[in-house]
Amino acid sequence: MASNSVPKIETSQAELVHPRVATQALVSHALTGHSRTPGRSYMEAESPHARGPSPIDFDGLSFPSIGARERREDTEESRAARIEKIAGAVRTILHCIGEDPDREGLLKTPERYAKALMFFSKGYEESVTHLMNKALFQEDHDEMVIVKDIDVFSLCEHHMVPFTGKIHIGYIPENGKVVGLSKIARLAEMFSRRLQVQERLTKQVAMALQELLNPQGVAVVMEASHFCMVMRGVQKPGSKTITSSMFGVFRDNAKTREEFLALIRRNGI
């Protein structure tokens, strides 16, 4: 006999998260790249009900490993030891590919590469809050602000080979709150100088600005060439990858979004 009882509706804990908490969770995930529950949605993974306290600081410093904080706090001695350790690994690589790490042309290569890699990944030593220190201002401006054609250089985290391109960043201030223009470029530099994927890099820049300024909206578009597709794999030189991340009015208003896209495509005024 069929039951007349009302079926129980199961509501996941993530659905009970307050919108503001959910937004903070999204921003936290974008800035830190940390999730203890791979495969789940951002909201589920970052909900305070779904996970314990994260060892990753919200300032973005420790993405994606707590080892980044240790790196930033290196003394001269510990930094030298870090470089020496990387150089030793490079010597092993040279030997494994069939080279002689003791021949004249390669004697200094391990140390050179170690120092270069530290520079390529220097974004791990920077934080959003430190980068933006004393760079937020009040101005009577409520129209679109765009910094475009910012050159970015990053390393693909899957193969540790470069991907390079340009990123275009725009926002519309709320209540006259603006940020120094050079800081927008530095924000892109900070997130790109890490092991990355382009999709995450694009979103991290957008979410960082959204959290810092709470503007009417943020738009970020990036176009890059990935050497993992050019030098290996499918070997398709000339291919480009385009990613975008939109928030606020840029996501909700088609005319605002199209104005931004038209302006970044334009050469000159």
Side-chain angles (χ1 to χ4, degrees):
M1 182 174 180
S3 172
N4 293 325
S5 61
V6 179
K8 181 180 179 181
I9 300 176
E10 295 185 0
T11 304
S12 69
Q13 289 176 320
E15 293 173 333
L16 299 176
V17 178
H18 188 277
R20 175 59 181 169
V21 174
T23 300
Q24 290 174 337
L26 285 168
V27 175
S28 178
H29 188 284
L31 293 182
T32 66
H34 178 74
S35 174
R36 295 174 61 184
T37 49
R40 302 176 68 186
S41 70
Y42 282 170
M43 186 180 297
E44 287 179 316
E46 300 306 321
S47 161
H49 302 288
R51 51 165 292 182
S54 169
I56 311 298
D57 287 334
F58 180 72
D59 61 10
L61 173 63
S62 298
F63 163 80
S65 166
I66 57 176
R69 178 166 296 282
E70 179 183 341
R71 174 173 167 179
R72 175 168 180 164
E73 296 172 354
D74 269 348
T75 63
E76 290 186 13
E77 292 78 11
S78 59
R79 187 174 183 86
R82 188 183 297 274
I83 291 174
E84 183 179 356
K85 189 173 182 180
I86 296 173
V90 175
R91 278 186 60 87
T92 301
I93 291 172
L94 290 173
H95 178 76
C96 288
I97 65 173
E99 264 293 357
D100 175 11
D102 292 318
R103 71 176 175 86
E104 183 180 6
L106 294 177
L107 278 176
K108 297 285 187 180
T109 297
E111 183 181 355
R112 291 191 191 104
Y113 183 81
K115 291 178 178 178
L117 186 60
M118 291 291 284
F119 179 80
F120 296 154
S121 60
K122 65 186 179 72
Y124 288 119
E125 301 174 13
E126 300 170 338
S127 72
V128 175
T129 50
H130 182 265
L131 188 72
M132 294 296 176
N133 186 34
K134 299 180 180 179
L136 302 179
F137 310 100
Q138 286 295 132
E139 292 291 339
D140 184 19
H141 186 81
D142 60 358
E143 299 292 338
M144 202 175 297
V145 178
I146 299 175
V147 180
K148 70 174 190 173
D149 294 330
I150 303 169
D151 291 313
V152 289
F153 307 89
S154 193
L155 290 177
C156 164
E157 68 178 31
H158 300 141
H159 302 97
M160 287 186 66
V161 294
F163 65 94
T164 66
K166 294 184 181 295
I167 193 167
H168 317 286
I169 305 170
Y171 73 98
I172 299 179
E174 177 75 21
N175 299 323
K177 188 177 182 181
V178 300
V179 63
L181 297 178
S182 68
K183 298 300 184 181
I184 295 177
R186 288 184 182 277
L187 190 66
E189 172 79 359
M190 186 195 82
F191 282 120
S192 66
R193 292 294 187 179
R194 303 175 175 190
L195 300 185
Q196 279 285 13
V197 295
Q198 184 175 329
E199 297 89 338
R200 184 174 63 228
L201 170 56
T202 307
K203 181 168 285 188
Q204 284 177 332
V205 173
M207 283 189 147
L209 270 182
Q210 182 70 29
E211 177 68 12
L212 286 163
L213 298 176
N214 194 26
Q216 297 181 50
V218 172
V220 177
V221 172
M222 181 176 176
E223 178 179 342
S225 175
H226 291 249
F227 280 66
C228 59
M229 291 180 59
V230 174
M231 297 176 63
R232 59 162 300 283
V234 295
Q235 300 182 60
K236 297 297 180 184
S239 63
K240 300 285 186 180
T241 300
I242 300 175
T243 50
S244 69
S245 185
M246 309 275 180
F247 293 96
V249 293
F250 290 100
R251 179 187 286 266
D252 300 334
N253 190 307
K255 289 185 177 180
T256 303
R257 181 168 61 251
E258 182 53 41
E259 179 185 354
F260 169 76
L261 295 174
L263 287 171
I264 66 174
R265 287 193 294 260
R266 180 183 297 180
N267 292 321
I269 301 301

